[in-house]
Amino acid sequence: MPGPREVPTYAVRPIGFVHSPFTEKSQAPRQGVVAGSARATIEILAEYEHALADLEGFNRIWVLFWFDRVHSTSVFGKVLPPRSDRKRGVFATRSPHRPNPIGMSAVVLERVEGLTLHVRDVDMLDGTPVLDLKPYLAYADVFPDANAGWLDKRDPVANWVVTFTPAAETELAFIAERASSDAESSPAPLDLRRRIENALALGPEPHPYRRIKRNLHSGELIVAVKDWRVRFAVSTDRSIEVQDLSSGYRRREIEQGRLPVHALHREFISRFGPRPL
């Protein structure tokens, strides 16, 4: 075994790239199974055309990819996962902040059209480099009795009930209507609602990874969901009530911004008023 100074380095080369609806890290789900059947395509480089033969017969495939948007300058031995209240060793988590930022997802393969793979249940950002593809084999890849380490005592199924006040429902409907006419301005309406539910279903405690904070002045609990800020309250029966939404942009950004997303936020404030958090 080589010593610390003798460890070789290895170069990897993408075999293709992902085209997905997620353009920012805050948009992407943390696991493909909670992606809400999000669809994407994987464009394979022409030189690997023959390597795709016989792949279409598989219902699911493993996609190995590179976390190209991770910009850590150093490798941390421990990270804070969303389901934990303390830091864990990075090798006991699926954090992208790893010595080698390699990710893997078991996606649904819907069909193959030439060099294009149509896939579903994706959690990868648009433009993600794909390193390899492997068929998902139930007889080899499924171990229902396997222990889940520090997660074994935590039910992986969300156990907090998330409800919405009439005010929040009205605001979500408004965003839905405006966003449907301009897909670049915001996630799809049901997607935004689902993201709020997914963020809060693991619990209301302030958590940096899940972007939950407590306002230092008012004491209110706020969760950041993409470019929106969501105020919520906690009941004693393990339920969470979403009270209302507000823009996550600064006033100057909204007033001077020229992107479709800024127009949406201007309309939102015009309709519901500014709500500083």
Side-chain angles (χ1 to χ4, degrees):
M1 181 176 178
R5 297 182 181 179
E6 302 171 351
V7 175
T9 59
Y10 301 93
V12 295
R13 184 173 184 272
I15 64 166
F17 295 88
V18 175
H19 298 289
S20 85
F22 310 123
T23 58
E24 302 175 17
K25 288 185 285 185
S26 61
Q27 291 179 311
R30 296 183 179 91
Q31 301 291 339
V33 294
V34 296
S37 298
R39 285 179 164 80
T41 58
I42 300 175
E43 298 292 336
I44 303 299
L45 300 180
E47 61 197 273
Y48 301 110
E49 178 181 6
H50 296 300
L52 292 175
D54 308 307
L55 185 64
E56 192 164 13
F58 294 92
N59 176 252
R60 282 187 178 266
I61 58 173
W62 289 107
V63 179
L64 279 73
F65 58 92
W66 194 264
F67 285 110
D68 62 320
R69 254 62 56 99
V70 173
H71 302 298
S72 298
T73 56
S74 60
V75 176
F76 299 97
K78 290 188 175 183
V79 295
L80 180 62
R83 291 185 181 274
S84 178
D85 54 3
R86 64 183 179 88
K87 289 188 174 182
R88 306 282 180 175
V90 69
F91 294 142
T93 75
R94 297 192 178 190
S95 168
H97 299 278
R98 324 184 68 78
N100 295 304
I102 297 174
M104 58 183 294
S105 294
V107 304
V108 175
L109 178 62
E110 295 189 322
R111 66 186 185 278
V112 180
E113 293 182 345
L115 294 169
T116 302
L117 309 184
H118 294 262
V119 295
R120 181 163 47 86
D121 294 357
V122 297
D123 55 358
M124 295 164 280
L125 294 178
D126 187 54
T128 293
V130 175
L131 304 181
D132 199 6
L133 303 171
K134 298 178 185 293
Y136 177 95
L137 305 175
Y139 74 85
D141 296 337
V142 178
F143 302 93
D145 297 326
N147 293 331
W150 59 270
L151 280 166
D152 257 359
K153 296 181 179 180
R154 292 171 174 265
D155 185 354
V157 177
N159 55 1
W160 282 78
V161 176
V162 181
T163 60
F164 296 79
T165 64
E169 294 282 11
T170 300
E171 291 164 348
L172 282 171
F174 177 88
I175 296 171
E177 181 182 352
R178 297 303 187 274
S180 62
S181 61
D182 191 336
E184 296 183 20
S185 57
S186 178
L190 292 178
D191 186 57
L192 177 58
R193 182 191 183 99
R194 187 177 65 250
R195 289 180 190 283
I196 294 172
E197 292 173 332
N198 289 344
L200 296 177
L202 294 179
E205 298 82 6
H207 195 293
Y209 196 94
R210 287 190 277 129
R211 305 178 75 195
I212 298 176
K213 294 183 179 180
R214 185 181 296 277
N215 188 301
L216 296 178
H217 302 290
S218 65
E220 295 176 325
L221 286 164
I222 307 294
V223 59
V225 182
K226 198 178 180 293
D227 43 14
W228 299 95
R229 300 298 175 264
V230 181
R231 189 164 59 100
F232 66 93
V234 182
S235 301
T236 56
D237 58 349
R238 297 188 67 80
S239 65
I240 294 172
E241 183 181 64
V242 173
Q243 297 176 318
D244 48 46
L245 286 74
S246 22
S247 173
Y249 285 105
R250 293 183 176 90
R251 179 178 178 180
R252 178 177 296 181
E253 292 176 309
I254 297 175
E255 292 177 349
Q256 300 179 0
R258 298 181 179 180
L259 297 176
V261 66
H262 298 134
L264 170 62
H265 284 251
R266 280 195 294 270
E267 291 184 47
F268 181 89
I269 291 175
S270 175
R271 169 72 180 274
F272 300 102
R275 193 178 293 119
L277 297 177

